[in-house]
Amino acid sequence: MNTQTELLAIQDVAEATGLSVHTLRYYERIGLIHSIGRAQNTHRRYSMDDVGWIEFLKKLRATGMPIHQMQRYAELQRMGDETLPERLEMLKELRRSVEAHLAELQEHLKIIQYKIELYGEILAERTP
Amino acid sequence: MNTQTELLAIQDVAEATGLSVHTLRYYERIGLIHSIGRAQNTHRRYSMDDVGWIEFLKKLRATGMPIHQMQRYAELQRMGDETLPERLEMLKELRRSVEAHLAELQEHLKIIQYKIELYGEILAERTP
DNA sequence: TCTTGACTTAGAGCGCGCTCTAAGTTGTAG
DNA sequence: CTACAACTTAGAGCGCGCTCTAAGTCAAGA
């Protein structure tokens, strides 16, 4: 099988993932993405696995995980299977924080909703 | 009725709201909180209404509303009832964004959940 | 009287997560 | 052959939302 044809340039990955090329290089510099291949001309060549990992990173970020924790997670991933328990712990902790955040947002949504209804009623009274 | 006894010093408000005194002064400087009374010695004196407004500000922040929008909202509030329609629009827009954020978080939570289960199974196999 | 501590203002500084710039290299199109 | 576009690295800069500092005022307690 020809793996060569599956390799993407940084611009392609930027378009595929929605991250900027700047951010992709930044993530690599700080250790979130590792061992990205280089073409003979030193240009980065991303595999499909790399893109999958980047998509996972995006999800971690979107849940509010801070960069330094993502760095730790990436480091553990690099270290291999014996770090599975620690990664599992990190994911469980993340789940806890996402669930808490969800609950908070739902509470606040109720208050916003209440206020919208209140304002709506006041406006309806004023211009019947 | 003695309204004097209901007035709080900045430290009391910090404790009551969970915001720092620095943040309370900052919010006032940038126009999020307005017309906080002063004692003869120039010290701020917060009314219960002020505290209620600060609590509302906290909710707006917690839903992810950026400071500059909160400034706009506070400005409208100051301008009185004729700005009700615009404030209502802002709240509806906020509701949309909170709902979108909730949906995104719930999606990500599922993926985290899936990964936790996967890792759990792998670990269970390895140490039966 | 003196010290302590809570307050005041104006403005500088900081941590986060990017985002951009500068200077240089390489490969392809005209 | 030349021009251009896309890439490279190292490091500076930025927007946000605070957070802290400096210098000063004031009131209460030892």
Side-chain angles (χ1 to χ4, degrees):
Chain A
M1 41 194 171
N2 182 1
T3 56
Q4 202 65 18
T5 59
E6 294 166 12
L7 296 178
L8 300 175
I10 193 165
Q11 183 58 48
D12 304 323
V13 178
E15 279 159 24
T17 62
L19 296 179
S20 72
V21 294
H22 296 295
T23 300
L24 287 170
R25 287 194 278 250
Y26 164 69
Y27 276 11
E28 189 174 339
R29 243 192 303 175
I30 67 171
L32 286 183
I33 310 173
H34 46 95
S35 63
I36 297 297
R38 293 294 193 275
Q40 296 96 319
N41 58 9
T42 74
H43 291 194
R44 287 170 179 79
R45 288 293 174 260
Y46 293 82
S47 71
M48 287 310 170
D49 278 1
D50 294 331
V51 174
W53 172 247
I54 290 164
E55 288 295 345
F56 179 62
L57 288 179
K58 277 178 62 187
K59 294 184 205 321
L60 292 185
R61 276 298 296 136
T63 59
M65 182 185 277
I67 293 281
H68 74 264
Q69 277 183 38
M70 293 170 61
Q71 288 174 305
R72 176 66 181 155
Y73 194 98
E75 185 191 15
L76 292 173
Q77 181 104 335
R78 261 197 306 284
M79 288 168 71
D81 280 0
E82 75 264 34
T83 66
L84 262 177
E86 189 170 345
R87 278 182 276 157
L88 182 55
E89 256 328 296
M90 288 185 77
L91 292 178
K92 285 182 176 174
E93 177 56 35
L94 181 61
R95 178 175 58 186
R96 274 190 288 275
S97 81
V98 172
E99 283 169 346
H101 191 191
L102 276 169
E104 191 200 14
L105 280 182
Q106 278 155 355
E107 276 311 300
H108 291 340
L109 187 57
K110 276 189 212 164
I111 289 158
I112 295 164
Q113 184 63 36
Y114 169 77
K115 215 150 169 124
I116 286 171
E117 282 163 17
L118 191 68
Y119 280 16
E121 282 168 25
I122 292 170
L123 285 175
E125 277 173 30
R126 284 208 324 215
T127 52
Chain B
M1 43 197 165
N2 183 2
T3 56
Q4 200 66 15
T5 58
E6 293 167 12
L7 296 177
L8 298 176
I10 193 165
Q11 182 58 48
D12 302 324
V13 177
E15 279 160 24
T17 63
L19 296 179
S20 73
V21 294
H22 296 295
T23 300
L24 286 171
R25 286 193 279 249
Y26 165 68
Y27 277 10
E28 189 174 338
R29 241 191 307 176
I30 67 173
L32 286 184
I33 310 173
H34 48 95
S35 62
I36 295 298
R38 293 293 195 276
Q40 296 96 317
N41 57 8
T42 74
H43 291 193
R44 287 169 179 80
R45 288 292 174 262
Y46 293 81
S47 72
M48 286 311 169
D49 277 1
D50 295 331
V51 174
W53 172 247
I54 291 164
E55 288 295 344
F56 180 61
L57 289 179
K58 278 178 63 185
K59 293 185 206 323
L60 292 184
R61 277 296 298 135
T63 59
M65 182 184 277
I67 292 281
H68 74 265
Q69 278 182 39
M70 292 170 60
Q71 288 173 306
R72 176 66 180 153
Y73 193 98
E75 186 191 13
L76 292 172
Q77 181 103 335
R78 260 198 305 284
M79 289 167 68
D81 280 1
E82 76 263 34
T83 67
L84 261 177
E86 189 170 343
R87 277 182 276 157
L88 181 57
E89 258 327 296
M90 288 187 75
L91 291 179
K92 284 182 177 175
E93 176 56 37
L94 182 60
R95 177 174 59 183
R96 275 189 287 276
S97 83
V98 171
E99 282 169 347
H101 191 192
L102 275 169
E104 192 200 14
L105 279 182
Q106 276 156 356
E107 277 310 301
H108 292 340
L109 187 57
K110 276 187 208 163
I111 289 157
I112 294 164
Q113 185 62 38
Y114 169 76
K115 213 147 169 128
I116 286 172
E117 282 164 15
L118 191 68
Y119 280 17
E121 283 168 21
I122 292 170
L123 285 176
E125 278 172 28
R126 285 209 324 215
T127 49

